[in-house]
Amino acid sequence: MDKQQIAAYLQEKNIDHVKFAFADIDGVLRGKLIHRDKFLDGLKDGFGFCDVVFGWDSADVCYDNVELTGWHTGYPDKYCRIDLNTMRHIPWQNDTTFFLADFTQSDGSAVPACPRSLLKKVIKQCEDMGYHPEFSQEFEWFNFSESPKSLQEKGFANLDTLTPGMFGYSILRPSQQSAFYYDLFNQLNKFNVPIEGLHTETGPGVYEAAIQHDHALAAADNATLFKTAVKEIASLHGITATFMAKWNADLPGCSGHIHQSLWSKDKSQNLFSSATDANKMSDVMKHYLAGQLYCLPHLLPMYAPTINSYKRLVEGAWAPTTVTWGFDNRTTALRVINDTVGHTRLETRIPGSDTNPYLAIAAALASGLYGIKNKLELTIPNTVGNGYKDAAHGILHTNLKEAAVAMQSSDIAKELFGDDFVQHFTQTRMWEWRQYSKAVTDWELKRYFEII
């Protein structure tokens, strides 16, 4: 609907308030509940938002190493704009009308730190090349019979998982939590975040959901909304959901795999598929795949953005550690799925569930397009067998500092996303590393407190 239609709808339904939100650099949704009149008035010029939302971390601690905003600028307002195409209703909040926003201005310029604006720029490049980008992200996450208050009281230790034991693809476990399980599926679909499948994964209280594929921007919107929606629905059942990549050293990590393909503009032809190629892969797909492999070491923080991300990227944890690809191989960084023409796609397996979907999808799409633009040859052979043992073409950085330093100095990253974004984003990752480096962990206490 356009502005006039939405205004008429709100008037007809006697809706006097609207909620809107945007994703910050960590993928955390920030937003407001505003009066209908303010909402309609702001559709022309945007809504002023204190730009501290791009100047602090996920704990609202202000960065001291970014140029975009800070005490040196006085933290002024920047204007975000609501995307009317994202209108939906929150069924578990009395059908509150909801919109997504970003910081793309009417002249096409954007705040360099706005993840959704960055993805929109990459998508425009893709569409200007004649492609329709089809994407989807899937998530694993753990559920606990805890509240935010009980987590604090317990010091995040000795937590009560929703269910016990390792029971992947269980029919029994969801039936024991059927109210929550079916509420997730039904409420998310009503929220216009359509779920393709939902099941338990191996681990106590862990679920996995695949979101239906869609245009890249809608897919990133759905993935971002999915994470917050799951947390809100869970809280109504006395449950806390976490999307940490690895919350427990002894349990599997949580993935956020990205599935993608390029189609003709009218979506009639999957341009990744070829009937004449021995492996059913088109030249477009091969160049795209080669681009992701080539760019991967330059963009790793966009796939693995937290300290915790790298606790998942270890051998034998169902997450990749090497620059590899393979056919239906879950030990490689990139997995080619080509069983049918319609299903032919690439799965990028590096991201965990802690990713910012806008940045992870932007990284995947931009690096794939880089391969197409430069006609990169797929010189790295496909891995057969254990991808952890195939380090001939490189290994992934093992911590956030290494990955951020590499991206900060990368000409490839700057070519793809611009110097302003690269500098801001990598500085926020370096800040994250500094906060971690000052922390005294439980591991250190247990190892050194008495003995040393």
Side-chain angles (χ1 to χ4, degrees), residues 262-264 266-273:
L262 297 181
W263 290 68
S264 57
D266 62 1
K267 297 188 284 185
S268 65
Q269 183 181 1
N270 186 346
L271 301 179
F272 274 9
S273 181

mmCIF file with all atom_site columns, all heavy atoms in Angstrom, residues 262-264 266-273:
data_model
loop_
_atom_site.group_PDB
_atom_site.id
_atom_site.type_symbol
_atom_site.label_atom_id
_atom_site.label_alt_id
_atom_site.label_comp_id
_atom_site.label_asym_id
_atom_site.label_entity_id
_atom_site.label_seq_id
_atom_site.pdbx_PDB_ins_code
_atom_site.Cartn_x
_atom_site.Cartn_y
_atom_site.Cartn_z
_atom_site.occupancy
_atom_site.B_iso_or_equiv
_atom_site.pdbx_formal_charge
_atom_site.auth_seq_id
_atom_site.auth_comp_id
_atom_site.auth_asym_id
_atom_site.auth_atom_id
_atom_site.pdbx_PDB_model_num
ATOM 1  N N   . LEU A 1 262 ? 20.775 -17.191 -8.136  1.00 0.00 ? 262 LEU A N   1
ATOM 2  C CA  . LEU A 1 262 ? 20.436 -16.082 -9.010  1.00 0.00 ? 262 LEU A CA  1
ATOM 3  C C   . LEU A 1 262 ? 19.482 -16.573 -10.087 1.00 0.00 ? 262 LEU A C   1
ATOM 4  O O   . LEU A 1 262 ? 19.700 -17.634 -10.685 1.00 0.00 ? 262 LEU A O   1
ATOM 5  C CB  . LEU A 1 262 ? 21.690 -15.486 -9.660  1.00 0.00 ? 262 LEU A CB  1
ATOM 6  C CG  . LEU A 1 262 ? 22.722 -14.867 -8.715  1.00 0.00 ? 262 LEU A CG  1
ATOM 7  C CD1 . LEU A 1 262 ? 23.895 -14.295 -9.517  1.00 0.00 ? 262 LEU A CD1 1
ATOM 8  C CD2 . LEU A 1 262 ? 22.100 -13.792 -7.833  1.00 0.00 ? 262 LEU A CD2 1
ATOM 9  N N   . TRP A 1 263 ? 18.447 -15.797 -10.351 1.00 0.00 ? 263 TRP A N   1
ATOM 10 C CA  . TRP A 1 263 ? 17.423 -16.163 -11.307 1.00 0.00 ? 263 TRP A CA  1
ATOM 11 C C   . TRP A 1 263 ? 17.285 -15.068 -12.367 1.00 0.00 ? 263 TRP A C   1
ATOM 12 O O   . TRP A 1 263 ? 17.763 -13.951 -12.181 1.00 0.00 ? 263 TRP A O   1
ATOM 13 C CB  . TRP A 1 263 ? 16.076 -16.355 -10.595 1.00 0.00 ? 263 TRP A CB  1
ATOM 14 C CG  . TRP A 1 263 ? 16.049 -17.579 -9.728  1.00 0.00 ? 263 TRP A CG  1
ATOM 15 C CD1 . TRP A 1 263 ? 16.769 -17.779 -8.579  1.00 0.00 ? 263 TRP A CD1 1
ATOM 16 C CD2 . TRP A 1 263 ? 15.295 -18.771 -9.934  1.00 0.00 ? 263 TRP A CD2 1
ATOM 17 N NE1 . TRP A 1 263 ? 16.507 -19.019 -8.046  1.00 0.00 ? 263 TRP A NE1 1
ATOM 18 C CE2 . TRP A 1 263 ? 15.602 -19.649 -8.854  1.00 0.00 ? 263 TRP A CE2 1
ATOM 19 C CE3 . TRP A 1 263 ? 14.383 -19.181 -10.900 1.00 0.00 ? 263 TRP A CE3 1
ATOM 20 C CZ2 . TRP A 1 263 ? 15.022 -20.904 -8.744  1.00 0.00 ? 263 TRP A CZ2 1
ATOM 21 C CZ3 . TRP A 1 263 ? 13.801 -20.443 -10.779 1.00 0.00 ? 263 TRP A CZ3 1
ATOM 22 C CH2 . TRP A 1 263 ? 14.132 -21.289 -9.711  1.00 0.00 ? 263 TRP A CH2 1
ATOM 23 N N   . SER A 1 264 ? 16.628 -15.401 -13.449 1.00 0.00 ? 264 SER A N   1
ATOM 24 C CA  . SER A 1 264 ? 16.294 -14.392 -14.452 1.00 0.00 ? 264 SER A CA  1
ATOM 25 C C   . SER A 1 264 ? 15.356 -13.374 -13.815 1.00 0.00 ? 264 SER A C   1
ATOM 26 O O   . SER A 1 264 ? 14.701 -13.663 -12.802 1.00 0.00 ? 264 SER A O   1
ATOM 27 C CB  . SER A 1 264 ? 15.634 -15.043 -15.664 1.00 0.00 ? 264 SER A CB  1
ATOM 28 O OG  . SER A 1 264 ? 14.479 -15.767 -15.274 1.00 0.00 ? 264 SER A OG  1
ATOM 29 N N   . ASP A 1 266 ? 12.482 -12.350 -14.513 1.00 0.00 ? 266 ASP A N   1
ATOM 30 C CA  . ASP A 1 266 ? 11.089 -12.773 -14.359 1.00 0.00 ? 266 ASP A CA  1
ATOM 31 C C   . ASP A 1 266 ? 10.948 -14.029 -13.490 1.00 0.00 ? 266 ASP A C   1
ATOM 32 O O   . ASP A 1 266 ? 9.855  -14.580 -13.361 1.00 0.00 ? 266 ASP A O   1
ATOM 33 C CB  . ASP A 1 266 ? 10.439 -13.008 -15.719 1.00 0.00 ? 266 ASP A CB  1
ATOM 34 C CG  . ASP A 1 266 ? 11.125 -14.135 -16.507 1.00 0.00 ? 266 ASP A CG  1
ATOM 35 O OD1 . ASP A 1 266 ? 12.097 -14.743 -15.997 1.00 0.00 ? 266 ASP A OD1 1
ATOM 36 O OD2 . ASP A 1 266 ? 10.704 -14.386 -17.653 1.00 0.00 ? 266 ASP A OD2 1
ATOM 37 N N   . LYS A 1 267 ? 12.065 -14.472 -12.903 1.00 0.00 ? 267 LYS A N   1
ATOM 38 C CA  . LYS A 1 267 ? 12.110 -15.620 -11.980 1.00 0.00 ? 267 LYS A CA  1
ATOM 39 C C   . LYS A 1 267 ? 11.684 -16.931 -12.647 1.00 0.00 ? 267 LYS A C   1
ATOM 40 O O   . LYS A 1 267 ? 11.280 -17.880 -11.976 1.00 0.00 ? 267 LYS A O   1
ATOM 41 C CB  . LYS A 1 267 ? 11.272 -15.355 -10.730 1.00 0.00 ? 267 LYS A CB  1
ATOM 42 C CG  . LYS A 1 267 ? 11.772 -14.200 -9.896  1.00 0.00 ? 267 LYS A CG  1
ATOM 43 C CD  . LYS A 1 267 ? 11.046 -14.080 -8.574  1.00 0.00 ? 267 LYS A CD  1
ATOM 44 C CE  . LYS A 1 267 ? 9.676  -13.485 -8.763  1.00 0.00 ? 267 LYS A CE  1
ATOM 45 N NZ  . LYS A 1 267 ? 8.984  -13.234 -7.474  1.00 0.00 ? 267 LYS A NZ  1
ATOM 46 N N   . SER A 1 268 ? 11.800 -16.990 -13.967 1.00 0.00 ? 268 SER A N   1
ATOM 47 C CA  . SER A 1 268 ? 11.409 -18.204 -14.684 1.00 0.00 ? 268 SER A CA  1
ATOM 48 C C   . SER A 1 268 ? 12.566 -19.187 -14.835 1.00 0.00 ? 268 SER A C   1
ATOM 49 O O   . SER A 1 268 ? 12.342 -20.371 -15.118 1.00 0.00 ? 268 SER A O   1
ATOM 50 C CB  . SER A 1 268 ? 10.867 -17.846 -16.072 1.00 0.00 ? 268 SER A CB  1
ATOM 51 O OG  . SER A 1 268 ? 11.891 -17.262 -16.879 1.00 0.00 ? 268 SER A OG  1
ATOM 52 N N   . GLN A 1 269 ? 13.806 -18.725 -14.661 1.00 0.00 ? 269 GLN A N   1
ATOM 53 C CA  . GLN A 1 269 ? 14.965 -19.570 -14.930 1.00 0.00 ? 269 GLN A CA  1
ATOM 54 C C   . GLN A 1 269 ? 15.995 -19.448 -13.813 1.00 0.00 ? 269 GLN A C   1
ATOM 55 O O   . GLN A 1 269 ? 16.421 -18.341 -13.463 1.00 0.00 ? 269 GLN A O   1
ATOM 56 C CB  . GLN A 1 269 ? 15.614 -19.169 -16.254 1.00 0.00 ? 269 GLN A CB  1
ATOM 57 C CG  . GLN A 1 269 ? 16.802 -20.046 -16.658 1.00 0.00 ? 269 GLN A CG  1
ATOM 58 C CD  . GLN A 1 269 ? 17.431 -19.594 -17.957 1.00 0.00 ? 269 GLN A CD  1
ATOM 59 O OE1 . GLN A 1 269 ? 17.008 -18.605 -18.565 1.00 0.00 ? 269 GLN A OE1 1
ATOM 60 N NE2 . GLN A 1 269 ? 18.458 -20.309 -18.411 1.00 0.00 ? 269 GLN A NE2 1
ATOM 61 N N   . ASN A 1 270 ? 16.379 -20.584 -13.254 1.00 0.00 ? 270 ASN A N   1
ATOM 62 C CA  . ASN A 1 270 ? 17.445 -20.624 -12.256 1.00 0.00 ? 270 ASN A CA  1
ATOM 63 C C   . ASN A 1 270 ? 18.784 -20.546 -12.990 1.00 0.00 ? 270 ASN A C   1
ATOM 64 O O   . ASN A 1 270 ? 19.191 -21.499 -13.658 1.00 0.00 ? 270 ASN A O   1
ATOM 65 C CB  . ASN A 1 270 ? 17.359 -21.901 -11.427 1.00 0.00 ? 270 ASN A CB  1
ATOM 66 C CG  . ASN A 1 270 ? 18.362 -21.931 -10.285 1.00 0.00 ? 270 ASN A CG  1
ATOM 67 O OD1 . ASN A 1 270 ? 19.302 -21.138 -10.231 1.00 0.00 ? 270 ASN A OD1 1
ATOM 68 N ND2 . ASN A 1 270 ? 18.169 -22.867 -9.357  1.00 0.00 ? 270 ASN A ND2 1
ATOM 69 N N   . LEU A 1 271 ? 19.465 -19.435 -12.867 1.00 0.00 ? 271 LEU A N   1
ATOM 70 C CA  . LEU A 1 271 ? 20.698 -19.212 -13.624 1.00 0.00 ? 271 LEU A CA  1
ATOM 71 C C   . LEU A 1 271 ? 21.899 -19.933 -13.043 1.00 0.00 ? 271 LEU A C   1
ATOM 72 O O   . LEU A 1 271 ? 22.992 -19.856 -13.605 1.00 0.00 ? 271 LEU A O   1
ATOM 73 C CB  . LEU A 1 271 ? 20.978 -17.704 -13.710 1.00 0.00 ? 271 LEU A CB  1
ATOM 74 C CG  . LEU A 1 271 ? 19.870 -16.878 -14.372 1.00 0.00 ? 271 LEU A CG  1
ATOM 75 C CD1 . LEU A 1 271 ? 20.242 -15.402 -14.388 1.00 0.00 ? 271 LEU A CD1 1
ATOM 76 C CD2 . LEU A 1 271 ? 19.596 -17.381 -15.784 1.00 0.00 ? 271 LEU A CD2 1
ATOM 77 N N   . PHE A 1 272 ? 21.717 -20.641 -11.939 1.00 0.00 ? 272 PHE A N   1
ATOM 78 C CA  . PHE A 1 272 ? 22.794 -21.463 -11.368 1.00 0.00 ? 272 PHE A CA  1
ATOM 79 C C   . PHE A 1 272 ? 22.814 -22.868 -11.979 1.00 0.00 ? 272 PHE A C   1
ATOM 80 O O   . PHE A 1 272 ? 23.773 -23.603 -11.816 1.00 0.00 ? 272 PHE A O   1
ATOM 81 C CB  . PHE A 1 272 ? 22.626 -21.587 -9.854  1.00 0.00 ? 272 PHE A CB  1
ATOM 82 C CG  . PHE A 1 272 ? 23.243 -20.463 -9.066  1.00 0.00 ? 272 PHE A CG  1
ATOM 83 C CD1 . PHE A 1 272 ? 23.740 -19.337 -9.688  1.00 0.00 ? 272 PHE A CD1 1
ATOM 84 C CD2 . PHE A 1 272 ? 23.336 -20.552 -7.682  1.00 0.00 ? 272 PHE A CD2 1
ATOM 85 C CE1 . PHE A 1 272 ? 24.313 -18.300 -8.955  1.00 0.00 ? 272 PHE A CE1 1
ATOM 86 C CE2 . PHE A 1 272 ? 23.916 -19.527 -6.943  1.00 0.00 ? 272 PHE A CE2 1
ATOM 87 C CZ  . PHE A 1 272 ? 24.403 -18.403 -7.578  1.00 0.00 ? 272 PHE A CZ  1
ATOM 88 N N   . SER A 1 273 ? 21.747 -23.229 -12.662 1.00 0.00 ? 273 SER A N   1
ATOM 89 C CA  . SER A 1 273 ? 21.613 -24.595 -13.172 1.00 0.00 ? 273 SER A CA  1
ATOM 90 C C   . SER A 1 273 ? 21.971 -24.680 -14.654 1.00 0.00 ? 273 SER A C   1
ATOM 91 O O   . SER A 1 273 ? 21.722 -23.759 -15.431 1.00 0.00 ? 273 SER A O   1
ATOM 92 C CB  . SER A 1 273 ? 20.176 -25.084 -12.958 1.00 0.00 ? 273 SER A CB  1
ATOM 93 O OG  . SER A 1 273 ? 20.026 -26.413 -13.427 1.00 0.00 ? 273 SER A OG  1
#
